[in-house]
């Protein structure tokens, strides 16, 4: 297996501070800044197509009332996922996973695919996502990092694609986290950098896998976490955090 090389800064949902999150415009914005990796959220439409979207509800990012799981891909593609963010993004679509992967590949970036299932679709979302991603992603490139808060989704990813690295996402500290991380053979531990306490971070760092922190948009916070041993940062403003962490600053 190739060793896992993760950049210091990962663009969160593309470059969420500058473009509507999880749209192709957002991933291009990250690429335009020279950001090496982006993170995105993968869930399923009603007809089990993999799309890039964070919330279970459509409202916040499309202005349309309803749940993602109740809309077919055709219906989802009719929605405007850009105008809520700004006039220059009117007409941005919710991307399919296939479009996202092709964009990332065209722009020469790496990617962290977060499995973000609607409740009850933990296994299916992982299966469809891995089916699409393994069909598109070239064998000769470092594979995507597959992450999830859902143990079952990570277990499914492990069964389907054991050699692709898995990131175990942890929001609130729980004592049993190491058992889960061991069970899913986690390659990274992806933690909430804003709510984790220093002693908890020490425990994560002592696990001796890269520790990635989300969502870190404040330079001072990034530098503080770096001193505690955090390896990489998910940022909505990845250009700002990259500059903050530059040792020549
Ligand atoms: O993968 C890091 C981060 O994206 C996890 O939280 O809610 O932003 O998907 P969320
Ligand atoms: Mg995410």
């Amino acid at each position: 297996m190739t060793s896992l090389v993760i950049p210091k800064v990962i663009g969160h949902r593309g470059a969420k501070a500058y473009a509507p999150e999880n749209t192709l415009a957002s991933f291009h914005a990250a690429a335009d800044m020279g950001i090496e990796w982006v993170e995105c959220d993968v869930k399923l439409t009603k007809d089990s197509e993999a799309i890039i979207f964070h919330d279970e509800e459509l409202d916040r990012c499309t202005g349309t009332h309803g749940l993602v799981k109740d809309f077919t891909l055709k219906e989802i593609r009719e929605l405007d996922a850009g105008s809520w963010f700004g006039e220059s993004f009117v007409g941005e679509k919710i991307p399919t996973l296939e479009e996202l992967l092709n964009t990332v590949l065209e722009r020469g970036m790496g990617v962290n695919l977060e499995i973000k299932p609607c409740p009850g679709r933990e296994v299916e979302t992982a299966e469809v996502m891995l089916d699409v991603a393994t069909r598109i992603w070239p064998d000769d490139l470092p594979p995507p990092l597959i992450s999830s808060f859902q143990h079952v989704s990570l277990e499914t990813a492990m069964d389907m694609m054991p050699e692709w690295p898995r990131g175990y996402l942890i929001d609130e500290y729980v004592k049993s986290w190491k058992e889960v991380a061991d069970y899913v053979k986690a390659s990274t531990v992806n933690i909430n950098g804003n709510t984790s306490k220093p002693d908890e971070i020490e425990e994560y760092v002592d696990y001796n896998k890269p520790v990635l922190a989300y969502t870190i948009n404040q330079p001072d916070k990034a530098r503080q976490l770096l001193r505690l041993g955090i390896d990489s940062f998910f940022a909505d403003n990845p250009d700002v955090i990259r500059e903050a962490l530059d040792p020549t600053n």
Side-chain angles (χ1 to χ4, degrees), residues 12-13 39 41 54 112 114 116 147 149 169 214 234:
H12 188 233
R13 307 182 203 171
E39 181 263 6
D41 306 289
H54 180 272
N112 170 202
E114 181 188 341
K116 193 70 132 186
S147 65
F149 289 107
L169 270 161
Y214 66 89
F234 296 96

Side-chain angles (χ1 to χ4, degrees), residues 219-232:
D220 284 349
K221 184 73 185 173
R223 286 188 285 258
Q224 179 205 342
L225 289 171
L226 189 72
R227 285 194 293 274
L228 293 176
I230 298 296
D231 296 282
S232 295

Side-chain angles (χ1 to χ4, degrees), residues 58-109:
L58 287 161
D59 308 49
R60 181 175 64 88
C61 292
T62 67
T64 294
H65 186 63
L67 298 172
V68 175
K69 71 173 180 61
D70 295 332
F71 282 63
T72 63
L73 179 62
K74 185 168 180 294
E75 290 163 342
I76 290 269
R77 297 289 284 179
E78 283 160 13
L79 305 178
D80 182 332
S83 57
W84 70 276
F85 192 88
E87 264 177 35
S88 56
F89 297 102
V90 171
E92 274 298 319
K93 301 281 180 230
I94 296 175
T96 61
L97 172 59
E98 181 164 350
E99 284 175 327
L100 171 277
L101 291 168
N102 286 329
T103 300
V104 161
L105 288 167
E106 270 163 37
R107 299 301 307 263
M109 293 190 289

